Amino acid sequence: MKISNESEKKYLRETKKLLIGDSKKKNDTLKAYQNEIEEYLEEKPNATYDNIVEFFGSPSEAAAEAAAEVPIEYVKKRMGFKLWIVFGILCALLMWGIGVTAAVIDAHSSTGYFVETLAVEEEYENDNIQMLTDALSTEENL
Amino acid sequence: MQVREHFKRGVSEIAILHLLNERDMYGYELLREIGKRSQNKFVLKYSSLYPVLYRLIDKGIISDTQKLVGKRRTRVYYHLTEMGKEYYEELKSEYYYITEGFNYLMNYQENDNENQ
C-alpha cells in the first residue's frame, strides 16, 4: 500500500530501522502500525510527526515493545552471528594494521636507492686487454 | 512517569479484554475508547497495545479479522474468542480479589486489627 503522508512515512521508516526479529514479524508489526496510523490520520488529517509519536509511542518505544515479544532463541542466534561479524572485522583490522606497520618500518630503514654490484672476472678482463693490444699492434705493423 | 507505565502495563490486558467483551474493535478504536472511558487517566500508546494484542492472539484469547474499509484500506478487527471470554472472567475476578486485598493493605491500621 502506498504511503502518502510524510509524517507517517518518516515514522514507519524510523521504526523499521529499529525493529528486530524475522522479516515476517517485522512486516507484520509495520503493517499493523501502518493500519492504525492511517485510521488516526483519517480522523486527524493535519497530524504532525510529533502527534503520531505522542499517540503511538516513539519509534524506539515501538521497537522495544515489539522486541519484548521476540523469542530469546532468535535474539541469541542473532547475537552469535553479530559476534562472528565483529570478530571477522577485528581480524581484518589487525591484519591491515600489521601490514601498514611493516611497510612503515621498511620505509624508515631503507636508504631510498639500490646498490648494484657488478663482478667482472679478472681472466675475462685480461683476455679483452690482450685482444685489444694485439689489434693495436697489428694496426701499427700495417 | 515510569511507575505509572508499569501499572498501566499490568492492567492493559484486562482493559483490552473488557472492551472486546462488549464488541469487536480495531486497534485505534481500542486506544480511543480506553482514553475516553477512563477520562484520559488511563491512556495507552499503540506501542504498548500492540504487543498485548499480539500475545493474546498467540494464546488464542482473541482473534483478528481483516475487513476492507473503503476501496483500499484494510482494518483489523479484534474479537474475543470463547476461550477468551472464560479467561477474561477469571482475570477480572483475580483483579478484584487483588485490588480488594491491596485496599486493605493500604488502609490498614493497628487499632483495626486489635479490635477484630
Side-chain angles (χ1 to χ4, degrees):
Chain A
M1 192 190 288
K2 196 171 175 281
I3 305 166
S4 52
N5 185 290
E6 281 306 313
S7 305
E8 180 192 2
K9 208 183 277 182
K10 184 182 170 193
Y11 184 87
L12 292 174
R13 195 174 51 232
E14 289 185 5
T15 306
K16 189 181 179 182
K17 270 191 235 164
L18 300 168
L19 282 175
I20 62 161
D22 57 59
S23 53
K24 191 192 173 297
K25 171 87 170 66
K26 280 187 201 174
N27 286 338
D28 287 350
T29 307
L30 285 172
K31 185 80 192 151
Y33 270 87
Q34 187 183 342
N35 275 338
E36 303 309 335
I37 292 172
E38 277 167 14
E39 292 289 348
Y40 174 76
L41 291 173
E42 187 95 348
E43 210 169 86
K44 295 178 171 65
N46 298 321
T48 61
Y49 175 80
D50 289 340
N51 294 142
I52 294 177
V53 168
E54 195 185 338
F55 201 83
F56 290 87
S58 67
S60 50
E61 279 174 331
E65 292 283 359
E69 300 300 311
V70 175
I72 191 67
E73 290 80 12
Y74 179 87
V75 179
K76 276 176 79 179
K77 197 175 149 189
R78 173 109 185 220
M79 286 298 288
F81 182 65
K82 275 191 176 170
L83 280 176
W84 274 111
I85 290 175
V86 171
F87 180 71
I89 292 169
L90 284 177
C91 283
L93 280 173
L94 186 69
M95 287 171 77
W96 178 79
I98 291 169
V100 168
T101 312
V104 168
I105 290 169
D106 193 38
H108 277 283
S109 60
S110 71
T111 52
Y113 55 86
F114 291 102
V115 177
E116 196 173 2
T117 311
L118 284 174
V120 180
E121 282 186 28
E122 199 179 337
E123 193 183 331
Y124 176 76
E125 204 173 354
N126 290 341
D127 283 351
N128 281 353
I129 292 166
Q130 188 59 50
M131 276 170 68
L132 204 62
T133 319
D134 289 348
L136 284 171
S137 58
T138 314
E139 260 181 43
E140 274 174 18
N141 291 337
L142 286 172
Chain B
M1 189 196 263
Q2 195 68 31
V3 180
R4 193 178 293 169
E5 288 306 313
H6 283 297
F7 281 142
K8 276 202 262 181
R9 198 185 292 255
V11 289
S12 57
E13 194 173 289
I14 308 173
I16 293 164
L17 295 177
H18 176 73
L19 292 177
L20 292 182
N21 192 41
E22 244 174 53
R23 63 183 160 92
D24 294 356
M25 287 188 195
Y26 53 95
Y28 176 61
E29 192 182 10
L30 279 167
L31 290 178
R32 207 179 45 198
E33 284 299 309
I34 289 171
K36 193 175 99 184
R37 295 187 193 197
S38 67
Q39 297 179 359
N40 286 324
K41 286 190 172 140
F42 185 77
V43 179
L44 270 185
K45 286 179 180 171
Y46 189 66
S47 55
S48 312
L49 176 82
Y50 177 70
V52 181
L53 291 173
Y54 196 82
R55 199 171 47 239
L56 292 173
I57 292 172
D58 238 24
K59 286 182 185 170
I61 291 164
I62 62 171
S63 62
D64 57 341
T65 322
Q66 292 200 355
K67 282 183 187 167
L68 196 67
V69 183
K71 280 184 182 173
R72 57 181 196 102
R73 197 152 47 85
T74 50
R75 188 178 273 170
V76 181
Y77 277 92
Y78 299 98
H79 169 80
L80 192 66
T81 61
E82 282 306 311
M83 186 181 127
K85 281 178 184 164
E86 284 173 32
Y87 176 75
Y88 167 61
E89 289 304 327
E90 253 176 62
L91 201 66
K92 200 166 65 172
S93 10
E94 278 296 310
Y95 171 76
Y96 287 133
Y97 183 78
I98 289 169
T99 44
E100 192 186 357
F102 199 75
N103 281 337
Y104 286 138
L105 171 82
M106 297 302 277
N107 299 311
Y108 180 82
Q109 284 174 350
E110 284 292 335
N111 294 342
D112 290 350
N113 197 37
E114 279 166 17
N115 292 339
Q116 279 174 5

